[in-house]
Amino acid sequence: MRKFGLVAVLFLVVSLVHACEVPEEISFAGIVYEDHIGWDVIGDVDVWFSCGVVALDTTYADGAYGVSFSGEDCVDGGNLEMRFSKDGFEDLSFGWVVDYSDMWTIDLRDKILRNKVFNVVMVREEEEEEIRRGGDCKELFLDCGLWSSCVDGIEMRTCSSNCEVNIDEVRTCVDEEPLVLGELVYSDGGEIREKGGFMDFILGFFGE
C-alpha cells in the first residue's frame, strides 16, 4: 500500500508540474521594403517560415507580415528558416538560431509571448538586356539626337537602340523664311534707317 501511495503522490506531483507550465507563443513579424529600409513597401509578398512546423503569411498593402508558432515547436536554440518571394523580385531567404534572450517577451500569466522583428528588403529582378545584332534583339529604348535644320521641307535625326542599331528618323517640316532686311535710306536728319522695315511700320502707324 505504501508503494502504491508513493507512486500516486509522484504522479500527482508530475501532473501538477505540467499543469503549472505556462504555454508559450513564438511570433515573428516585420515589414517588407523595396531596395532600402524605409523606402516603398511591397504588398502581396509570399512569406514562408519554418520552425519545427511551417507557417505561411502574405504581406498586407502596408508591407506588414506576421507568423506565430507554439513554443513546443519553435524551441530555444532551434533553427528558424525564412523565405520571401514575389514575382518580379529576387527571392530572399535566410536562417536564424532561435534565441529567446534576444526576443521581446511578455508574461500574460496564462501565456508567455515572445516576439522577434525582421524587417527585410527585397530587390527587383534585373531585366535581361540582350545586346546583339539581328532581328531577334528586342529594343528596350531609343536614344535620339537633335533634329537637323529644315531643308526642302524635310528634317532628320539619328536614334540608337540597345541593339546597337542606328535608326534614321525623317519628318516633314516647314521651311523657315529667311529674314530679309529692308533697304537702308537716309532720312532728312541724316540718320540711317531701314526702308520697309520695322521702323517704317512704327512711323507709319503714328502717321509719319
Side-chain angles (χ1 to χ4, degrees), residues 164-180:
E164 296 183 343
V165 176
N166 291 332
I167 300 174
D168 291 328
E169 290 188 337
V170 180
R171 70 180 182 184
T172 59
C173 59
V174 178
D175 289 324
E176 297 180 359
E177 295 182 2
L179 178 61
V180 180

Side-chain angles (χ1 to χ4, degrees), residues 7-201:
V7 172
V9 170
L10 290 174
F11 177 77
L12 179 60
V13 171
V14 173
S15 298
L16 289 174
V17 170
H18 282 287
C20 292
E21 287 183 355
V22 179
E24 295 183 339
E25 181 177 345
I26 314 300
S27 66
F28 302 94
I31 298 176
V32 180
Y33 293 98
E34 178 178 347
D35 290 334
H36 294 281
I37 294 291
W39 283 30
D40 293 339
V41 298
I42 310 176
D44 297 326
V45 176
D46 291 329
V47 180
W48 180 93
F49 275 60
S50 175
C51 190
V53 295
V54 173
L56 304 175
D57 193 25
T58 304
T59 57
Y60 296 99
D62 60 359
Y65 73 90
V67 297
S68 61
F69 300 88
S70 166
E72 296 178 355
D73 295 320
C74 198
V75 298
D76 191 19
N79 292 322
L80 174 70
E81 295 180 13
M82 295 158 272
R83 185 169 66 243
F84 301 82
S85 62
K86 180 180 175 66
D87 289 342
F89 291 84
E90 296 180 3
D91 286 352
L92 174 66
S93 60
F94 57 97
W96 185 65
V97 176
V98 179
D99 183 357
Y100 284 177
S101 66
D102 191 31
M103 301 182 72
W104 177 75
T105 303
I106 182 171
D107 189 348
L108 299 178
R109 293 189 178 182
D110 62 335
K111 180 175 16 180
I112 294 178
L113 298 177
R114 302 184 190 275
N115 177 260
K116 178 72 173 178
V117 173
F118 288 104
N119 289 335
V120 299
V121 173
M122 297 185 68
V123 179
R124 287 188 179 274
E125 294 178 344
E126 294 184 1
E127 296 182 0
E128 294 184 2
E129 298 183 1
E130 297 180 87
I131 309 299
R132 62 175 183 268
R133 300 180 185 275
D136 57 345
C137 177
K138 182 179 180 181
E139 292 176 356
L140 299 180
F141 64 89
L142 288 175
D143 184 14
C144 297
L146 299 176
W147 289 102
S148 67
S149 57
C150 188
V151 178
D152 296 333
I154 296 295
E155 58 184 1
M156 300 177 61
R157 70 176 180 178
T158 300
C159 300
S160 60
S161 74
N162 63 296
C163 299
E164 296 183 343
V165 176
N166 291 332
I167 300 174
D168 291 328
E169 290 188 337
V170 180
R171 70 180 182 184
T172 59
C173 59
V174 178
D175 289 324
E176 297 180 359
E177 295 182 2
L179 178 61
V180 180
L181 298 178
E183 179 184 355
L184 297 179
V185 298
Y186 286 92
S187 64
D188 294 338
E191 297 178 352
I192 299 177
R193 63 184 178 87
E194 183 182 355
K195 182 179 180 182
F198 178 72
M199 289 303 300
D200 277 356
F201 169 77

